[in-house]
Amino acid sequence: MERTLTGNEKDIVILGAGNVATHLAISLSRQAHISQIYNHNIKGAQELAAQVRAEAIDDLRALDPHAGLYIISVKDDAIATIAEYMKGFGGLWAHTSGSVPMSALSPISDTYGVFYPMQTFSKYVSVDMAKVPIFIEGSSENVTEHLKEYASLISSKVYEADSERRARLHIAAVFACNFTNRLWDISANLLKGIGLEFDTMQPLVEAMLTKACAVTPHEGQTGPARRKDMKIIKKHLEMLEGEDKELYSILSDSIIKQYYPDEQDKL
């Protein structure tokens, strides 16, 4: 039988006021009560707190001791620092990192876990949280179920993933999102040089993503390297310089190795 959040369980404290914290706080505020927003910079806390009608604080000693859930959404290297400072505080705690093990929160309480939304977030770019997969890990079966209940308030895609699986998931996300965005940035700069905007590439990018999801990225690969068209590849390399040239060469070589393993012609 599904539990229903009651009483103080509906009170959530968000530690952090960055991109992830902002989207989580706003989404959760529609289904629960955000009682506090903590941030080391009070201005950041105040800006987010105003959006979700919460109290803004910049002192961890002022944390509400009776909240149902405390979500730490800060830089990875700050999680352990907060956990050590809050040692023995108690309550249900979770962090939002894809790479930090949940055990980083063990100094705070016996009930802790991970609440990892796998999405790229920017404060002022809207995201449909209902479609964002949230990966949960808990220090016990009961904690896992409780965190899944909170996640289900905002997303229809809630899964379990232990620390090792989540770390690999995060690496996969970096390749699929962060590295790809860097390549888009290079493309945008090349387009700018000929008087075009990056939205020129939107139909191409959208078609590529649709195809990759439909038939797998491996089957959907196209382009000069996939065809092993060395004449075109060398022409492109002659037109590029610096890091752009190096990346083009490395990626083309990687594609050729993938599809022509017995015909190595290193660029």
Side-chain angles (χ1 to χ4, degrees), residues 16-31:
N19 295 330
V20 178
T22 295
H23 283 275
L24 284 181
I26 292 173
S27 297
L28 286 167
S29 71
R30 299 187 183 112
Q31 303 293 333

Side-chain angles (χ1 to χ4, degrees), residues 16-17 27 35 37 51 71 77 94 100 118 124 126 135 139 145 151 157 177 193 216 231-232 241 244 264-265:
S27 297
S35 61
I37 300 292
Q51 297 181 66
I71 299 179
D77 57 7
V100 175
M118 194 186 71
Y124 308 110
S126 62
F135 293 88
S139 57
E145 291 306 312
K157 300 178 181 296
C177 178
T216 78
K231 184 176 181 180
I232 293 296
E241 58 184 24
D244 293 356
Q264 295 302 308
D265 294 320

Side-chain angles (χ1 to χ4, degrees), residues 43-246:
K43 183 178 180 181
Q46 290 170 336
E47 289 177 354
L48 179 53
Q51 297 181 66
V52 297
R53 298 183 180 180
E55 176 189 9
I57 60 173
D58 62 356
D59 187 344
L60 289 170
R61 293 173 295 182
L63 280 186
D64 175 5
H66 304 298
L69 174 64
Y70 303 85
I71 299 179
I72 300 179
S73 186
V74 298
K75 293 180 180 179
D76 285 2
D77 57 7
I79 293 174
T81 302
I82 291 176
E84 189 59 32
Y85 187 87
M86 299 306 298
K87 189 172 184 177
F89 186 84
L92 175 59
W93 288 72
H95 69 65
T96 61
S97 171
S99 296
V100 175
M102 72 169 177
S103 58
L105 301 182
S106 61
I108 307 177
S109 172
D110 292 330
T111 50
Y112 57 88
V114 176
F115 194 101
Y116 170 50
M118 194 186 71
Q119 179 58 281
T120 174
F121 293 106
S122 295
K123 281 187 181 182
Y124 308 110
V125 179
S126 62
V127 171
D128 184 356
M129 287 297 297
K131 297 179 181 179
V132 174
I134 299 179
F135 293 88
I136 299 298
E137 182 181 15
S139 57
S140 69
E141 184 176 339
N142 184 57
V143 168
T144 299
E145 291 306 312
H146 207 170
L147 289 175
K148 286 168 70 175
E149 184 179 358
Y150 279 105
S152 295
L153 292 175
I154 59 176
S155 175
S156 60
K157 300 178 181 296
V158 180
Y159 309 98
E160 292 184 41
D162 62 22
S163 292
E164 180 179 355
R165 186 180 180 213
R166 194 177 64 258
R168 292 183 179 276
L169 175 68
H170 193 209
I171 293 172
V174 168
F175 272 97
C177 178
N178 306 135
F179 290 165
T180 302
N181 192 74
R182 174 67 185 116
L183 296 179
W184 288 348
D185 190 33
I186 293 172
S187 175
N189 287 332
L190 290 169
L191 289 168
K192 186 177 180 180
I194 56 173
L196 296 172
E197 298 296 329
F198 184 67
D199 60 9
T200 304
M201 292 293 171
Q202 186 170 344
L204 177 65
V205 169
E206 290 177 346
M208 191 68 238
L209 176 59
T210 298
K211 180 168 60 171
C213 291
V215 301
T216 78
H218 183 81
E219 292 182 23
Q221 183 70 59
T222 59
R226 175 63 181 88
R227 300 189 300 271
K228 203 180 179 185
D229 191 335
M230 304 305 293
K231 184 176 181 180
I232 293 296
I233 291 173
K234 289 177 180 178
K235 180 179 180 180
H236 287 174
L237 287 171
E238 289 172 0
M239 297 170 66
L240 295 167
E241 58 184 24
E243 189 178 69
D244 293 356
K245 183 174 184 176
E246 183 180 2

